[in-house]
Amino acid sequence: MIISIASGKGGTGKTTVAVNLALSLKNVQVLDCDVEEPNAHLFLKPRIKDEVKAFIPVPEVDETKCTHCGRCRDVCAYHAIAVLPAADGKKGSVLIFPHLCHGCGACSLLCPQKAIKEINKDIGVIEVGDKGNMQFGHGRLNIGEAMSPPLIRQVKSYINPTRTVIIDAPPGTSCPVITAVKGSDFCVLVTEPTPFGLNDLVLAVEVLRKLQIPFGVVINRSDIGDGKVEDYCLKENIPILMKIPFSREIAVSYSEGVPIVKKDVSYQDKFINLYRDICGIKNKQPL
């Protein structure tokens, strides 16, 4: 089963839930898909065995073949190509904007003159390893890169279907999150009982319902703020899977890079029960 851990906003405790759930289970694989700022490794401390460069194909134009017809510009949905036709005796040219390119290949496929080929553009690195019997992988996007979804997809290519896969998704509700959670069997939404937490939880719920992914909620720092998050979940028939209290011990443990289950073993049972609840909800879903 693939379980993604997501949140409508940053700082809710998404990685805390992902790491502690993984440490409470057996036969697990953890994939940190928050490639702009991966941090699960700080808590799991895996042994990295392999490092693989990640690339995205971007177009390169052979100006000797190009007639500046503009076909490549017209088929590019992301406006990554600009064509300046010849005029007033000046030679035309083609401008490529690699940071806008999604690597779909349409321009090279549909170029009438076969003047476009694809070259690999380095966008980041994927590191894979293990922590005991746990498999681990994460991506690190190069500084300055505008798009993380291509790297997230490449990290997800390491999914091991023989294990319980836990995906630590990026925060928010935009393209990187959708890329990370897509294909999950279940998504855990981590939130906090504050107005900001509720606002972004509502957005995340809308995304998951659109994707038709079963989900439930974990409320972190559950004894601060107000009860509006719980009221919303009750009204929308959203299961609250777990509540984590606002605790100095947990905060200190986090700041030291030590997972909760290592400091307080009682939490291991709580995360095991979280997993059982997920399985129970998933098994009740209509086929």
Side-chain angles (χ1 to χ4, degrees):
M1 181 162 62
I2 301 174
I3 302 172
S4 54
I5 314 295
S7 61
K9 65 183 288 292
T12 59
K14 175 173 52 63
T15 299
T16 295
V17 172
V19 165
N20 286 280
L21 178 59
L23 290 171
S24 301
L25 304 177
K26 297 179 180 178
N27 196 37
V28 173
Q29 181 189 44
V30 176
L31 295 178
D32 190 346
C33 288
D34 188 1
V35 298
E36 294 183 70
E37 44 185 354
N39 63 345
H41 65 286
L42 299 176
F43 302 93
L44 294 173
K45 301 175 178 60
R47 178 181 56 165
I48 300 299
K49 292 183 174 181
D50 197 13
E51 182 177 296
V52 181
K53 287 283 188 180
F55 301 95
I56 183 174
V58 296
E60 183 178 71
V61 179
D62 184 346
E63 293 281 2
T64 63
K65 296 180 180 180
C66 180
T67 61
H68 309 103
C69 67
R71 178 64 171 159
C72 56
R73 174 199 59 210
D74 295 340
V75 301
C76 182
Y78 303 100
H79 307 292
I81 302 177
V83 178
L84 306 177
D88 300 326
K90 295 181 180 180
K91 186 180 178 181
S93 62
V94 179
L95 301 178
I96 306 294
F97 303 98
H99 288 296
L100 297 179
C101 178
H102 283 57
C104 70
C107 57
S108 61
L109 179 66
L110 298 174
C111 175
Q113 308 303 322
K114 304 301 179 186
I116 299 177
K117 68 177 182 180
E118 291 181 320
I119 59 173
N120 282 333
K121 176 177 179 285
D122 180 4
I123 59 170
V125 66
I126 299 169
E127 295 178 328
V128 293
D130 57 48
K131 175 67 172 180
N133 189 46
M134 179 190 299
Q135 294 181 349
F136 176 84
H138 69 186
R140 287 191 286 109
L141 192 69
N142 287 344
I143 294 173
E145 284 296 328
M147 294 188 301
S148 61
L151 180 53
I152 293 173
R153 283 190 289 269
Q154 292 179 53
V155 173
K156 290 179 69 177
S157 71
Y158 285 84
I159 286 176
N160 183 348
T162 67
R163 291 175 174 253
T164 298
V165 181
I166 296 175
I167 294 176
D168 189 1
T173 53
S174 57
C175 293
V177 180
I178 293 172
T179 304
V181 304
K182 193 174 181 179
S184 299
D185 297 304
F186 194 92
C187 183
V188 176
L189 290 176
V190 185
T191 189
E192 57 190 15
T194 64
F196 284 120
L198 175 58
N199 178 79
D200 295 328
L201 174 63
V202 172
L203 297 176
V205 166
E206 291 175 359
V207 169
L208 291 175
R209 284 178 171 165
K210 192 73 173 178
L211 294 174
Q212 297 184 335
I213 298 174
F215 63 92
V217 168
V218 169
I219 303 178
N220 191 22
R221 297 184 283 273
S222 60
D223 43 1
I224 63 170
D226 53 39
K228 292 183 179 180
V229 167
E230 292 189 52
D231 292 341
Y232 167 75
C233 291
L234 181 63
K235 178 183 176 183
E236 295 293 322
N237 197 28
I238 300 170
I240 297 176
L241 303 169
M242 184 179 182
K243 296 180 183 179
I244 302 174
F246 184 58
S247 163
R248 178 181 176 86
E249 180 185 9
I250 293 175
V252 170
S253 179
Y254 183 90
S255 68
E256 294 173 344
V258 179
I260 307 171
V261 295
K262 297 294 184 182
K263 277 281 186 78
D264 185 347
V265 293
S266 69
Y267 270 96
Q268 191 171 67
D269 290 335
K270 295 177 183 178
F271 280 99
I272 291 173
N273 288 333
L274 168 63
Y275 176 73
R276 288 173 178 163
D277 288 342
I278 290 171
C279 293
I281 295 170
K282 175 60 183 170
N283 290 337
K284 290 180 182 177
Q285 294 295 314
L287 298 177

